[in-house]
Amino acid sequence: MRGKQAIGVAVRGPDGQIFAGQEPLDSILHRNRFARAPFFRGVVVLYETLVIGTKWLMRSGSLAAAGEGVAFGGKAVALTMLFTIALAVGLFVLLPLLVAQGGVSFFFGDVSGGLEAFVVHLLEGLIRVVVFVGYLLLVSRSAEIGRVFQYHGAEHMTIHTLEADLPLTTENVRRFPTAHPRCGTEFLVIFILVSILVFSLLAGVELWVAILGRILLIPVIAAVSYEVLKWGAKRRDHSVWRWLFLPGIWLQSITTRQPDDSMIEVAICSMQEALAANGETAPEGSWDPVREPIPDAAELARDVEARLAAGERAAAGGDPEEA
């Protein structure tokens, strides 16, 4: 859960206990005096989504793996983050361009003309939408990603509960939908639509210019998309704007799922941590679960490995009581 000054994090450990903590938002982007300024704040959100989000997903996975005596090193986390960013840029920004240019070149030859360049641009936008939706549908078939989407739903439901000023309890959280108008999924939908408009400025240029330009324009598109998201989130009561932003809600039927109670408990715990970092408290009557500080995954893995080794030695020695 993102607070004003820190991110509240909660993780269900391998033995069922809840680990929780806070990460201050103090990167060089957050410390900049323009961090909350219009447009620049969209770049900050992009950083939080790609870097901080991936890092905590990896830490969660590290704790789960540590429960089996397996440790992920810092290099593995860093490489995964780099791979994630490269995959996002390659799959959703560059691949549609290359496929569109290749397809139009096959049928028309030169793609630098006005009509051909326009066709490439339209085809690229269509391919980008298809790739994005297809990717979500594909990864949603994974059981592991399905659990992530359940936690995603629990996050939104808990935010709805807080915004309604109701006590954060499992029963109250259950009353709300898994979709939320300020969801990251909706941000990505707007990002794709804005990119289609912005990339039109590069229609007809040489391929290397088109590729470089798309990479350099990513922060600009993120900045504009975030402002559109915030603007639209404040106007959902009007039927016209509600219908305009409805595709983002529809896509959340893929990226969010109904959580079980244990996931809602983790979401409430995360919200409690975010509120505490803000110096705020949850509504009276809210559940405040018992939790432990997030452990170092490497140390936890070594402890588990030592216990497993001791159990194996005891079993080999024939001492059932020690085993």
Side-chain angles (χ1 to χ4, degrees), residues 277-312:
N278 293 345
E280 303 172 358
T281 57
E284 186 177 354
S286 295
W287 183 62
D288 196 6
V290 176
R291 49 197 181 269
E292 302 175 24
I294 298 177
D296 180 80
E299 292 182 4
L300 181 60
R302 285 194 292 268
D303 291 343
V304 171
E305 187 177 13
R307 291 200 302 269
L308 292 174
E312 291 175 358

Side-chain angles (χ1 to χ4, degrees), residues 8-283:
V9 181
V11 181
R12 180 74 70 178
D15 295 330
Q17 73 274 45
I18 296 179
F19 297 116
Q22 303 166 9
E23 175 172 339
L25 296 172
D26 59 358
S27 72
I28 188 172
L29 288 177
H30 294 98
R31 294 194 303 270
N32 191 292
R33 62 177 178 171
F34 300 109
R36 296 185 180 179
F39 296 102
F40 188 87
R41 58 193 175 187
V43 179
V44 177
V45 169
L46 182 64
Y47 165 81
E48 292 174 355
T49 301
L50 291 177
V51 178
I52 298 180
T54 301
K55 181 179 72 175
W56 277 105
L57 278 175
M58 287 294 296
R59 287 199 65 178
S60 175
S62 296
L63 288 176
E68 301 176 0
V70 178
F72 291 160
K75 290 184 178 179
V77 175
L79 288 174
T80 300
M81 291 175 61
L82 290 175
F83 173 77
T84 300
I85 295 173
L87 177 65
V89 173
L91 192 60
F92 303 119
V93 177
L94 301 184
L95 178 64
L97 169 66
L98 297 176
V99 173
Q101 285 218 357
V104 174
S105 297
F106 180 80
F107 289 102
F108 296 98
D110 182 20
V111 296
S112 60
L115 177 60
E116 291 80 3
F118 179 71
V119 172
V120 168
H121 180 66
L122 289 182
L123 184 59
E124 177 191 353
L126 177 61
I127 293 172
R128 183 169 291 112
V129 172
V130 171
V131 169
F132 177 62
V133 176
Y135 174 82
L136 292 179
L137 289 172
L138 180 63
V139 299
S140 68
R141 298 177 64 86
S142 163
E144 291 79 9
I145 298 300
R147 283 182 55 79
V148 173
F149 288 169
Q150 284 181 283
Y151 275 109
H152 192 194
E155 172 199 3
H156 288 173
M157 295 161 72
T158 304
I159 294 172
H160 278 303
T161 307
L162 182 70
E163 291 174 338
D165 201 26
L166 292 173
L168 301 179
T169 64
T170 303
E171 294 74 19
N172 285 339
V173 171
R174 281 277 175 214
R175 296 164 55 183
F176 292 94
T178 60
H180 195 281
R182 296 193 305 275
C183 171
T185 303
E186 197 147 334
F187 172 73
L188 291 176
V189 172
I190 297 172
F191 184 97
I192 289 175
L193 296 179
V194 171
S195 72
I196 294 174
L197 296 176
V198 174
F199 290 162
S200 66
L201 301 174
L202 299 173
V205 301
E206 294 184 32
L207 180 59
W208 73 269
V209 177
I211 292 175
L212 181 61
R214 278 159 174 74
I215 295 175
L216 295 178
L217 283 172
I218 287 177
V220 176
I221 296 170
V224 174
S225 300
Y226 185 71
E227 297 307 316
V228 174
L229 178 67
K230 286 184 67 68
W231 182 86
K234 298 177 181 178
R235 293 165 173 79
R236 297 303 172 91
D237 293 336
H238 194 289
S239 59
V240 173
W241 301 120
R242 186 167 60 251
W243 277 98
L244 183 63
F245 287 90
L246 201 56
I249 299 296
W250 287 341
L251 274 182
Q252 289 183 59
S253 64
I254 301 175
T255 62
T256 64
R257 294 181 183 178
Q258 278 293 331
D260 59 35
D261 287 350
S262 69
M263 296 174 177
I264 293 177
E265 291 171 0
V266 173
I268 292 175
C269 183
S270 178
M271 178 64 80
Q272 290 281 15
E273 290 289 332
L275 290 172
N278 293 345
E280 303 172 358
T281 57

